[in-house]
Amino acid sequence: MKLPFTSEVPELDRTTCERQGVSSYELMTRAAGELLRWFREHLPSKETTVVLLAGPGNNGGDALVLVRLLQEQGYVNAQAYLFPSTSGRLSADCEQALRDAGEAAVRMSLEQELPGMGPEVWVVDGLFGSGLNRPLDGIFGYMADRINQSEATVVAIDVPSGLMGEHGVSGKCVHADYTLTFTHPKLSMLFPEGGQYCGEVTVLDIGIDADAIAASVSPYHIMEDREMALLLKPRSRFSHKNSYGSALLIAGSQGMMGAALLSARACMRSGVGLLTAHVPACGYDILQSGCPEAKCEPDRHSEHWKTLPDRGANWDAVAVGPGLGQASETGYALCELLQTSSQPMVIDADALNLIAAHPDWLTLIPRNSILTPHPGEALRLLKAAENRFPDWETIPADTSLMQLRALRVLAQKLYVNIVFKGTYTAVIGSDGSVSFNCHHGHPGMAVGGSGDTLTGILLALLAQHYEPKEAAQLGVTLHSLAADLALDRESEESFLPSDLIACLGAAFKSLELHKNG
């Protein structure tokens, strides 16, 4: 599903109205009807006090139509308060919604007192939607403060006022308990800096024309299970181990062999035909006993990676990084690996950190490789890019949203795919496209080892000759889906990456059902 830019929303609305033969006000009424459905399911009773705060645009119009519908449904204590702009002008649909609301809406002035917002009150934030392009100020900044200082339950329409669709928060912002957004999540909701204001997000389908959404110029979209299921390759009854690729995993160091083991086990559970784990000599017994399905090749050094694996072997895919450490000898080996490799690689963890410490190595990364940074590693890579490329246009990367924009530039410059790990992991293609994993995953995954399992899954898919971007998308989906399935037996608190590995088979089966259904 595409995530259109908020600047495209008016045109999407216009196209929808034209193709469906409805007016913009009828579309607003449809949206308010979906809001009403949610409130009927969530309000404690019809006597609950609902205070709707409406701004001068269409977001305010949504609130004004909603208050009329609430009162028509018997919610007698629902009341809207309209706050016009300094010019006093309202959007045309907001003006009509105000007329239709009648006594259910009060037009406020600066001198009038705001209604009470005690703990028993539900406040609906309909001040500004995602199209806001400036900080809240004046009466609207004051109202955001009042809402945030109250003990009321706060429900935001579209986005919390102050949150801008693609640009996060600049100044004050309403802190909502629930956000009811239309058609699709907004980009700024998918990162901590904006998402922290949204509370529980519900996406409401108001029937925006699907073809118009698909034609959006936005590079952002959400990965759907059906779409990912169609990527799965069928297995031939007459296949053999060589049919599913030969993979090399370079991982582990003294005290960090768990990362190598988790990655190896995840790789074997993701369909690879043959796996060789190249580990320091201290990890040989650990790998042989912990993952007997994999061949184990010990390095000459006892504590960390120092020498390249057998150069005569013909690997279909290589992954490097989990638990690797950053010893200088490991860095030299990594540089040599990058210089001598031509096929796409999975590069994770300390391999990324070593590259970031040596900016000239960025251009050695094989084209179409998959890089898997978390925000800290991403920041280091972006600083390395600034140092390596004289023409690099610095993009402030002090927030995850800004990092995403800069990583899009880096992915296209290096012709690589970047898996930007987070709550809604983003797969950034070498073409600049961005796919978000919004349907799966949970906070229990915030534990050491989760990223190592992802590296193993990605390695297995690359070895099976999935296209690198598709491997990244499918791998991220399987990783988070398996984590969700593990909650049938575990809690978020007790979840371990090994639980995820145990559920990879169920994750594959779940996607197969989507493919066949």
Side-chain angles (χ1 to χ4, degrees), residues 343-354:
Q343 79 268 48
M345 301 169 60
V346 182
I347 304 176
D348 182 34
D350 279 327
L352 294 175
N353 291 326
L354 285 166

Side-chain angles (χ1 to χ4, degrees), residues 465-514:
H465 303 291
Y466 284 86
E467 289 298 316
K469 185 172 81 168
E470 294 180 349
Q473 293 172 329
L474 182 57
V476 165
T477 300
L478 288 165
H479 182 252
S480 56
L481 176 55
D484 284 352
L485 293 169
L487 292 186
D488 288 343
R489 294 177 294 183
E490 302 296 338
S491 69
E492 291 180 355
E493 293 81 3
S494 68
F495 174 85
L496 293 175
S498 52
D499 301 322
L500 182 161
I501 295 170
C503 290
L504 277 168
F508 274 96
K509 284 185 176 181
S510 178
L511 283 189
E512 284 286 357
L513 291 174
H514 282 282

Side-chain angles (χ1 to χ4, degrees), residues 21 110 142 147 162 172 199 239 285 372 378 388-390 443 465 471 492 517:
L110 296 179
Y142 169 71
I147 294 170
K172 297 178 179 180
S239 60
D285 290 342
T372 61
R388 173 62 182 84
F389 302 112
H465 303 291
E492 291 180 355

Side-chain angles (χ1 to χ4, degrees), residues 45-122:
S45 74
K46 289 194 172 183
E47 286 70 42
T48 301
T49 298
V50 184
V51 172
L52 298 97
L53 304 176
N58 284 355
N59 194 247
D62 294 331
L64 293 172
V65 177
L66 174 60
V67 75
R68 173 172 60 82
L69 298 180
L70 283 169
Q71 287 206 359
E72 289 174 357
Q73 291 289 313
Y75 293 88
V76 294
N77 293 320
Q79 183 70 46
Y81 301 85
L82 173 66
F83 295 84
S85 63
T86 52
S87 67
R89 290 193 297 269
L90 306 176
S91 71
D93 287 338
C94 185
E95 189 81 58
Q96 182 171 346
L98 177 63
R99 289 194 299 269
D100 290 349
E103 294 183 357
V106 175
R107 189 165 183 149
M108 299 290 285
S109 67
L110 296 179
E111 294 77 24
Q112 290 174 279
E113 280 293 319
L114 289 173
M117 302 180 198
E120 75 289 348
V121 174
W122 284 56

Side-chain angles (χ1 to χ4, degrees), residues 4-264:
F5 291 120
T6 51
S7 60
E8 297 179 279
V9 169
E11 180 61 22
L12 292 175
D13 290 350
R14 187 198 65 76
T15 301
T16 298
C17 292
E18 182 180 283
R19 292 178 179 175
Q20 297 179 8
V22 297
S23 69
S24 59
Y25 186 65
E26 288 172 323
L27 184 62
M28 178 179 284
T29 302
R30 183 192 299 175
E34 292 303 312
L35 293 170
L36 174 66
R37 189 191 310 274
W38 187 93
F39 276 96
R40 290 179 63 181
E41 294 173 357
H42 289 81
L43 286 174
S45 74
K46 289 194 172 183
E47 286 70 42
T48 301
T49 298
V50 184
V51 172
L52 298 97
L53 304 176
N58 284 355
N59 194 247
D62 294 331
L64 293 172
V65 177
L66 174 60
V67 75
R68 173 172 60 82
L69 298 180
L70 283 169
Q71 287 206 359
E72 289 174 357
Q73 291 289 313
Y75 293 88
V76 294
N77 293 320
Q79 183 70 46
Y81 301 85
L82 173 66
F83 295 84
S85 63
T86 52
S87 67
R89 290 193 297 269
L90 306 176
S91 71
D93 287 338
C94 185
E95 189 81 58
Q96 182 171 346
L98 177 63
R99 289 194 299 269
D100 290 349
E103 294 183 357
V106 175
R107 189 165 183 149
M108 299 290 285
S109 67
L110 296 179
E111 294 77 24
Q112 290 174 279
E113 280 293 319
L114 289 173
M117 302 180 198
E120 75 289 348
V121 174
W122 284 56
V123 171
V124 178
D125 168 22
L127 298 174
F128 292 101
S130 56
L132 184 71
N133 58 13
R134 64 184 187 279
L136 293 181
D137 57 11
I139 183 62
F140 298 109
Y142 169 71
M143 290 171 67
D145 288 337
R146 278 290 307 274
I147 294 170
N148 292 340
Q149 292 162 7
S150 76
E151 299 179 75
T153 299
V154 180
V155 183
I157 297 176
D158 194 27
V159 299
S161 294
L163 179 62
M164 292 172 270
E166 287 85 42
H167 303 287
V169 175
S170 176
K172 297 178 179 180
C173 185
V174 170
H175 201 143
D177 298 295
Y178 302 94
T179 296
L180 310 180
T181 196
F182 299 124
T183 309
H184 55 82
K186 307 307 180 280
L187 182 63
S188 55
M189 293 178 175
L190 304 181
F191 295 94
E193 298 82 13
Q196 64 177 317
Y197 294 97
C198 296
E200 181 181 313
V201 177
T202 299
V203 178
L204 302 178
D205 182 2
I206 61 171
I208 296 299
D209 186 81
D211 290 338
I213 294 174
S216 163
V217 300
S218 168
Y220 305 111
H221 95 284
I222 292 175
M223 294 181 283
E224 304 292 342
D225 285 354
R226 168 72 173 166
E227 172 191 11
M228 295 298 102
L230 293 175
L231 298 179
L232 287 172
K233 294 184 177 184
R235 293 201 154 204
S236 168
R237 181 177 296 277
F238 299 101
S239 60
H240 48 81
K241 61 187 177 184
N242 291 318
S243 303
Y244 302 113
S246 176
L248 171 66
L249 172 66
I250 303 173
S253 59
Q254 179 74 43
M256 292 293 291
M257 287 309 304
L261 182 57
L262 286 168
S263 191

